[in-house]
């Protein structure tokens, strides 16, 4: 074992580098996270976060990452630090849309308003799903 | 989406839906009224719940005795053509159940009106659609292969089978995104609308005429106490 001792430090450095990169560098988002659904029915909806927002010229994070308190929108406060499913549980409550309807409403209502972007089921839920 | 397809899509998902529903209802009311005008209320009601003649009369004569219903069933078409009736029951059940409880349809209705029904998982709807299409194939082969059926088949008999199958087949292809998705979903909507409009004006009118004939008109296949007779 002693003769391999000179490799210990470089290997440790390499491992640290690999795990550090994986742990702290977020990959580009290319699809909506569907991991909160118990029985997802369709492939994850395609959504390239950065490309979409650049294309749609969305600069205000809170326009999607909104925050509602007691049923009212809190102005100019964004909620990127939270997951959608923190508020939008699978089953809807009296004041909050269920998770699926929240996703659909957020995307489709804007696409309808702007008359841009996909509206049909299979235009977002692509087969095969994006990788 | 190219401009022709876009225009067709907007027509199919908007004005044509309403046109189809209006034509369906107007046509249906007209056909029921027409059928009723071809019959008249009988002056004196016959005694008993049904006429004395006909294939079910033997079973009817045992009214009130044990085995009445099993005898009726055996002598009815369900007894003489069990397989076809079995397939037919599955076919007609799925024809209503699959589109009504389809998740994607319910999501669209929910988006539009804020109401929705219970919905099947998509995988189940997928299997049920295949089963439905298998029933269609059974009817098609039966119509082609059986000489006695072929002899009384006209173009319309094949056409109504096509009308029933086409929205299911196009929906299936759209769901699996086989061929161009946008074309297929537009075709799916158009075929559904064509089917809806065709209901009152083709043999699919049995959707409602069945009830009028079997329950109101007095004949050997009456199910209720038919109080009307042909003029």
């Amino acid at each position: 074992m002693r003769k391999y001792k000179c490799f210990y430090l470089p290997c440790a450095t390499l491992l640290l580098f690999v795990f550090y990169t994986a742990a702290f560098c977020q990959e580009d988002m290319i699809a909506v996270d569907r991991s909160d659904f118990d029985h997802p029915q369709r492939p994850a909806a395609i959504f390239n976060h950065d490309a979409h927002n650049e294309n749609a010229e969305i600069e205000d994070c809170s326009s999607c990452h909104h925050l509602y308190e007691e049923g009212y929108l809190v102005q100019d406060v964004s909620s990127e630090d939270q997951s959608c499913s923190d508020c939008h549980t699978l089953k809807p409550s009296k004041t909050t849309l269920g998770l699926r309807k929240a996703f659909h409403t957020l995307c489709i209502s804007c696409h309808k308003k702007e008359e841009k972007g996909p509206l049909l089921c299979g235009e977002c839920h692509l087969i095969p799903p994006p990788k | 989406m190219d401009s022709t397809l876009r225009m067709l899509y907007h027509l199919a998902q908007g004005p044509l839906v309403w046109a189809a529903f209006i034509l369906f209802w107007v046509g249906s009311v007209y056909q029921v009224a027409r059928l009723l005008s071809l019959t008249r209320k009988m002056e004196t009601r016959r005694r008993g719940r049904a006429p004395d003649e006909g294939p079910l009369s033997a079973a009817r004569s045992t009214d009130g005795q044990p085995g009445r219903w099993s005898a009726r069933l055996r002598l009815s078409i369900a007894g003489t053509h069990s397989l076809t009736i079995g397939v037919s029951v599955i076919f007609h059940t799925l024809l209503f159940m699959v589109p009504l409880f389809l998740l994607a349809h319910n999501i669209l209705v929910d988006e539009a009106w804020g109401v929705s029904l219970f919905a099947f998982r998509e995988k189940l709807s997928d299997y049920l659609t295949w089963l439905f299409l298998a029933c269609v194939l059974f009817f098609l082969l039966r119509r082609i292969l059986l000489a006695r059926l072929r002899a009384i088949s006209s173009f319309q008999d094949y056409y109504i089978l096509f009308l029933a199958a086409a929205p299911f087949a196009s929906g299936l292809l759209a769901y699996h995104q086989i061929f161009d998705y946008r074309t297929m979903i537009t075709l799916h909507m158009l075929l559904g609308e064509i089917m809806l409009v065709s209901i009152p004006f083709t043999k699919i009118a049995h959707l409602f005429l069945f009830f009028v004939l079997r329950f109101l008109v007095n004949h050997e296949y009456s199910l209720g106490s038919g109080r009307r007779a042909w003029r």
Side-chain angles (χ1 to χ4, degrees):
Chain A
M1 288 298 282
R2 182 167 283 184
K3 65 177 178 184
Y4 297 115
K5 207 174 176 179
C6 60
F7 289 111
Y8 287 176
L9 192 65
C11 284
T13 315
L14 187 69
L15 280 175
L16 185 71
F17 180 74
V18 168
F19 285 110
Y20 183 87
T21 315
F24 296 102
C25 297
Q26 199 177 9
E27 274 184 47
D28 283 351
M29 179 188 184
I30 54 157
V32 173
D33 179 17
R34 57 167 206 171
S35 60
D36 289 308
F37 291 103
D38 293 334
H39 303 286
Q41 301 288 303
R42 294 247 169 154
I46 186 168
F47 181 67
N48 191 325
H49 182 273
D50 295 347
H52 174 270
N53 296 348
E54 198 181 318
N55 197 23
E57 296 171 0
I58 299 173
E59 280 162 17
D60 178 11
C61 301
S62 70
S63 55
C64 295
H65 296 278
H66 55 219
L67 188 72
Y68 278 77
E69 269 174 12
E70 292 168 4
Y72 292 98
L73 179 68
V74 184
Q75 292 292 338
D76 301 324
V77 176
S78 70
S79 56
E80 302 105 281
D81 53 338
Q82 285 175 281
S83 166
C84 304
S85 60
D86 288 349
C87 300
H88 296 286
T89 47
L90 290 180
K91 293 250 185 279
S93 74
K94 272 187 181 168
T95 53
T96 319
L97 296 179
L99 188 60
R100 184 176 65 207
K101 197 168 180 183
F103 282 138
H104 284 161
T105 307
L106 189 67
C107 299
I108 296 167
S109 63
C110 194
H111 292 174
K112 275 187 180 162
K113 197 175 91 191
E114 299 294 328
E115 294 181 353
K116 280 173 189 163
L119 295 171
L120 299 171
C121 313
E123 289 180 309
C124 292
H125 298 284
L126 294 177
I127 298 174
K131 281 184 187 133
Chain B
M1 230 191 277
D2 71 62
S3 58
T4 319
L5 185 59
R6 185 181 289 272
M7 190 193 72
L8 268 177
Y9 166 75
H10 282 291
L11 275 176
Q13 61 107 47
L16 288 182
V17 180
W18 297 113
F21 270 106
I22 290 167
L23 277 171
F24 165 73
W25 279 110
V26 170
S28 301
V29 170
Y30 165 74
Q31 290 286 42
V32 171
R34 195 175 69 92
L35 191 73
L36 288 178
S37 78
L38 291 173
T39 61
R40 61 181 162 79
K41 210 163 190 171
M42 290 196 299
E43 282 138 27
T44 48
R45 265 189 76 192
R46 288 195 194 202
R47 280 172 65 92
R49 288 168 52 80
D52 301 330
E53 314 86 32
L56 302 180
S57 61
R60 282 202 181 109
S61 67
T62 64
D63 266 14
Q65 286 172 20
R68 175 186 153 216
W69 281 105
S70 65
R72 275 195 79 164
L73 196 69
R74 225 176 23 252
L75 288 165
S76 75
I77 196 168
T80 54
H81 296 78
S82 309
L83 176 65
T84 307
I85 292 303
V87 175
S88 176
V89 168
I90 296 170
F91 171 90
H92 285 93
T93 310
L94 294 178
L95 185 61
F96 283 91
M97 223 168 63
V98 173
L100 210 56
F101 300 125
L102 191 88
L103 182 65
H105 289 173
N106 276 291
I107 287 177
L108 288 175
V109 174
D110 186 39
E111 256 182 50
W113 296 326
V115 289
S116 61
L117 296 168
F118 148 86
F120 294 139
R121 291 210 184 146
E122 296 222 295
K123 206 83 215 149
L124 177 63
S125 299
D126 188 24
Y127 293 142
L128 292 179
T129 306
W130 283 107
L131 181 60
F132 176 84
L133 292 174
C135 294
V136 171
L137 190 67
F138 173 83
F139 286 133
L140 180 67
L141 289 178
R142 198 171 170 271
R143 197 167 280 286
I144 293 171
L145 296 177
L146 293 185
R148 66 175 190 278
L149 204 57
R150 202 166 52 233
I152 54 163
S153 297
S154 62
F155 170 75
Q156 201 195 129
D157 294 298
Y158 293 98
Y159 177 60
I160 63 167
L161 199 57
F162 167 79
L163 280 181
F168 280 79
S170 56
L172 192 76
L173 291 172
Y175 170 70
H176 289 285
Q177 297 179 22
I178 298 166
F179 305 124
D180 180 59
Y181 173 72
R182 291 181 182 114
T183 311
M184 203 47 76
I185 207 85
T186 308
L187 202 62
H188 174 66
M189 291 188 286
L190 287 171
L191 287 166
E193 285 151 9
I194 292 171
M195 179 186 72
L196 209 56
V197 173
S198 305
I199 289 172
F201 307 107
T202 58
K203 285 182 181 177
I204 318 179
H206 72 265
L207 168 68
F208 45 83
L209 294 188
F210 170 87
F211 297 98
V212 180
L213 272 172
R214 289 296 185 100
F215 287 93
L216 295 183
V217 182
N218 197 302
H219 61 128
E220 67 266 42
Y221 293 107
S222 298
L223 289 170
S225 50
R227 291 187 193 183
R228 300 183 76 87
W230 296 107
R231 277 183 193 280

